[in-house]
Amino acid sequence: MSLISRGFQRRREVEASPDRVPPGQYVTNDFPVLSAGPTPRISAEEWRFRVTSERGEETTWTWEEFSALPAEAVKVDIHCVTKWSKLDTDWRGVSVDTILKGVGSSAAFATAHSYGGYTTNLPVVDLTGGKAWIAFQYGGQPLAPEHGGPARLLVPHLYFWKSAKWIHRLELRDSDRPGFWESLGYHGYGDPWKEQRYAGD
Amino acid sequence: MERTALRGRLTWLEAEVVQLVQETARVKTIVFRVPGWTGHLPGQHVDIRLTAEDGYQAQRSYSIANANNNEHVALTVEAVENGEVSPYLVDELVAGDRIELRGPIGGYFVWEPSLGGPLQLIAGGSGLVPLMAMIRSQMSYASPVRTNLVASARSWEELIYRDELEKLSRERDDFDVVYTLTRSQPHGWNGYGRRIDKDLLAASTFAVEEAPLIFVCGPTGFVETAAAIMLELGHQPGGIKTERFGPSGG
Amino acid sequence: MNSDTHLDGNSIGSLLQDLFGREMTDQRACCDACGAINPLATARVYVDAPGHVVRCAICGTVVLVAVTVPTGVRISFQALRWVELAP
Ligand SMILES: Cc1cc2nc3c(=O)[nH]c(=O)nc-3n(C[C@H](O)[C@H](O)[C@H](O)COP(=O)(O)OP(=O)(O)OC[C@H]3O[C@@H](n4cnc5c(N)ncnc54)[C@H](O)[C@@H]3O)c2cc1C
Ligand SMILES: [Zn+2]
């Protein structure tokens, strides 16, 4: 048994209704920066985004080509496994549906690879159907490197570690393969409403 | 028996607040009495653990500020804005309160008499805490090594331990301190008034020929800058020891 | 804004002590990616991620990761060629 520290409380900043916030989360106005490594600084010139299909075919976009794709505004709530949630965040990004349109693939799984080496895995059905974006603006501004700029994956219905910052490649696969945190014990899917934080949750 | 009591493991100890000292507007020194404390070396730190009513726990590291003194452990804590733990320690704790801590921790960022000197200390903000333990300890030894401290703070008001440092530098030939106040300086200030740079450290630290032992501590950005400059000035990488406290506060 | 948010190996002193049963921050370790040999205290430690990510200070490779899961603290040795225990 641990000694209770008189008057000590978990930080809680904003009250929000329980139907809006998944169990175990608290709402913050900040946008905490969570990083597992140094922040990559990638210029628009050197930036590339690739999709590789399960058959090894590769499609590459330069920043210019990516910027020419139709983008949309997205207002969503985001939920981090470290227990903060942030409501009504404003993004602009290219839907993953748009990205995958020209890519012939029937793969069921994907691994997102980031500049800096981070990886995370997701089912393709969670990336399609208007549920995920490659986001390049936040709050009307170009996405800052700290928050994953030039561009990051945005999959708001899953815990935020799935929304890989500094996305570089989307690898479409026939089989699922755990990413960085998933291979260490974090949940393979990560639904915040079911509190799927750890494998087995 | 608790598993953590196995040999070499650190156990959580109950620490009782026995004294609180206001160092600056946002910094307090909190002296704990820790039954079972086995003593410490200057430069070491402790982990503290707070537990809320609902079972939520938070854990942080704090350097030990005092020289080894029986069961007494002094921590000097800066209340970080919106911090979860530091404002609690600074604003909530009163004498008689108890929290959990474990330690002493660390064997790298420590100074022992056998290491000799001279001792070059470079502190940014609350990074002064473990270096102060080195100063306090070795000033009590029979033959202290020559010690030079460069202390960077935002302002004179925000400089911790300033009376003690002033007194030591007046009274001791073997101790020198150089201040730099990065945001505001008192009227008539003739010390440095800028962030550390190569000229500042070249002019105010031991020369390479003296082969000082160098300890650098503070916010991460400060430590990276100071360590890089000392390397540039020609000091050996193995002679520069660093400890990073995290994001920049000062 | 600065992105210098990492700590160093001093901050995982207690974790290493739990793991090895002795003080470890002054012990040398070899990075399997670049071969650099340095005291564990000099490693870069990123703690604001869902776990502690320890990287080689020279090449940035992830050498150790510690995550707290419901059953305990999991330590993953990702790229440590060796760790030395000096007498
Ligand atoms: C080995 C070691 C020794 C340390 N010794 C001391 C010491 O002697 N005295 C001391 O006051 N602190 C010390 N620290 C820092 C301390 O552990 C905490 O990080 C600090 O008190 C902030 O904790 P918090 O819970 O209040 O803030 P958190 O809730 O963790 O953070 C709140 C906000 O403050 C920012 N922040 C976090 N840490 C700092 C910081 N150090 N400075 C400025 N902003 C920050 C965060 O980015 C965040 O935005 C030490 C750290 C280490 C690793
Ligand atoms: Zn390396």
Side-chain angles (χ1 to χ4, degrees):
Chain A
M1 246 321 277
S2 290
L3 182 75
I4 304 290
S5 320
R6 181 192 55 79
F8 176 67
Q9 275 184 355
R10 173 194 318 237
R11 174 172 31 213
R12 239 184 222 99
E13 289 152 31
V14 186
E15 292 304 322
S17 65
D19 56 332
R20 188 72 190 271
V21 186
Q25 299 291 111
Y26 73 91
V27 176
T28 178
N29 287 326
D30 295 344
F31 195 161
V33 173
L34 271 79
S35 46
T39 301
R41 315 249 158 201
I42 297 114
S43 67
E45 294 76 62
E46 57 183 318
W47 185 86
R48 292 290 180 281
F49 176 63
R50 298 196 160 84
V51 174
T52 49
S53 79
E54 67 275 28
R55 289 181 307 279
E57 292 150 354
E58 188 169 286
T59 318
T60 304
W61 288 263
T62 62
W63 185 255
E64 207 178 326
E65 290 160 349
F66 174 75
S67 305
L69 296 174
E72 58 197 56
V74 188
K75 195 197 243 333
V76 288
D77 298 348
I78 54 179
H79 312 292
C80 178
V81 74
T82 61
K83 305 206 168 173
W84 56 265
S85 290
K86 190 168 170 60
L87 307 182
D88 294 325
T89 58
D90 281 308
W91 306 83
R92 200 171 167 76
V94 176
S95 163
V96 176
D97 295 308
T98 305
I99 299 275
L100 294 183
K101 207 168 281 167
V103 178
S105 167
S106 55
F109 302 98
T111 295
H113 297 258
S114 300
Y115 282 101
Y118 180 75
T119 57
T120 186
N121 57 312
L122 311 96
V124 169
V125 291
D126 286 271
L127 288 170
T128 51
K131 292 197 287 288
W133 296 265
I134 307 293
F136 57 90
Q137 270 185 24
Y138 173 75
Q141 300 292 320
L143 187 58
E146 287 74 17
H147 291 303
R152 77 180 297 163
L153 188 58
L154 176 65
V155 195
H157 70 287
L158 300 178
Y159 279 128
F160 213 44
W161 90 78
K162 296 284 183 183
S163 296
K165 294 197 268 193
W166 314 298
I167 189 148
H168 181 41
R169 183 159 76 98
L170 201 56
E171 179 195 359
L172 302 170
R173 303 171 50 87
D174 286 326
S175 60
D176 198 9
R177 186 171 63 196
F180 183 76
W181 294 117
E182 293 85 357
S183 68
L184 295 171
Y186 277 83
H187 199 278
Y189 185 66
D191 181 347
W193 294 96
K194 295 187 179 143
E195 274 207 79
Q196 292 173 338
R197 298 177 197 276
Y198 305 103
D201 280 354
Chain B
M1 203 168 117
E2 252 207 279
R3 274 217 262 155
T4 47
L6 293 173
R7 188 190 74 88
R9 295 280 183 93
L10 293 161
T11 35
W12 290 101
L13 301 168
E14 280 191 20
E16 184 187 344
V17 178
V18 291
Q19 198 194 349
L20 293 142
V21 182
Q22 192 85 42
E23 300 282 359
T24 74
R26 297 307 295 140
V27 180
K28 263 186 202 165
T29 291
I30 307 157
V31 185
F32 295 94
R33 196 179 65 83
V34 192
W37 189 249
T38 51
H40 60 267
L41 296 169
Q44 288 185 308
H45 66 271
V46 295
D47 282 352
I48 71 133
R49 177 167 82 178
L50 302 178
T51 306
E53 294 275 357
D54 64 2
Y56 173 76
Q57 291 190 323
Q59 197 175 311
R60 296 288 185 278
S61 302
Y62 292 96
S63 299
I64 305 172
N66 61 324
N68 193 24
N69 174 19
N70 301 321
E71 295 185 323
H72 287 98
V73 175
L75 308 181
T76 301
V77 180
E78 173 178 352
V80 168
E81 205 180 329
N82 296 322
E84 187 165 60
V85 170
S86 60
Y88 173 84
L89 298 174
V90 172
D91 299 326
E92 289 293 324
L93 285 184
V94 295
D97 279 342
R98 287 177 310 148
I99 64 162
E100 288 175 303
L101 61 75
R102 61 177 187 165
I105 299 160
Y108 172 81
F109 199 78
V110 297
W111 183 83
E112 293 175 84
S114 62
L115 292 174
L119 197 51
Q120 179 62 58
L121 310 176
I122 305 175
S126 50
L128 185 50
V129 178
L131 306 183
M132 197 63 193
M134 296 182 192
I135 295 169
R136 286 168 171 162
S137 308
Q138 69 110 355
M139 287 296 150
S140 70
Y141 295 127
S143 49
V145 299
R146 280 185 306 137
T147 301
N148 177 285
L149 167 69
V150 176
S152 173
R154 280 179 289 242
S155 66
W156 187 247
E157 293 72 35
E158 286 175 84
L159 176 67
I160 54 176
Y161 313 135
R162 55 174 190 269
D163 294 345
E164 188 177 348
L165 291 172
E166 285 293 86
K167 186 166 181 292
L168 276 174
S169 73
R170 268 197 316 272
E171 292 175 357
R172 315 256 333 197
D173 296 336
D174 44 21
F175 178 74
D176 282 310
V177 54
V178 176
Y179 307 107
T180 184
L181 304 175
T182 58
R183 293 232 182 122
S184 68
Q185 302 81 33
H187 206 70
W189 176 249
N190 52 20
Y192 291 108
R194 60 176 200 262
R195 284 168 177 269
I196 49 157
D197 55 34
K198 194 172 173 187
D199 290 345
L200 191 157
L201 288 181
S204 52
T205 57
F206 286 117
V208 173
E209 301 74 61
E210 303 227 41
L213 283 176
I214 303 164
F215 288 88
V216 185
C217 188
T220 302
F222 175 92
V223 172
E224 303 277 311
T225 306
I229 294 171
M230 295 311 273
L231 272 178
E232 237 184 280
L233 291 174
H235 294 277
Q236 290 303 312
I240 307 171
K241 294 192 170 182
T242 52
E243 183 165 86
R244 292 159 183 80
F245 276 10
S248 175
Chain C
M1 275 298 294
N2 79 78
S3 57
D4 282 330
T5 57
H6 63 277
L7 302 174
D8 54 41
N10 296 299
S11 71
I12 51 163
S14 52
L15 178 83
L16 293 171
Q17 196 159 336
D18 281 346
L19 191 59
F20 290 94
R22 58 172 279 181
E23 196 327 278
M24 287 298 294
T25 59
D26 60 343
Q27 301 300 304
R28 300 189 309 161
C30 179
C31 168
D32 198 38
C34 74
I37 299 170
N38 280 301
L40 282 163
T42 63
R44 287 164 197 254
V45 178
Y46 293 83
V47 290
D48 40 20
H52 286 56
V53 179
V54 184
R55 290 174 181 266
C56 169
I58 306 300
C59 74
T61 296
V62 177
V63 290
L64 265 183
V65 184
V67 295
T68 303
V69 296
T71 44
V73 181
R74 252 180 220 181
I75 293 128
S76 166
F77 295 84
Q78 304 227 329
L80 275 182
R81 190 172 301 165
W82 49 255
V83 180
E84 185 174 78
L85 304 177

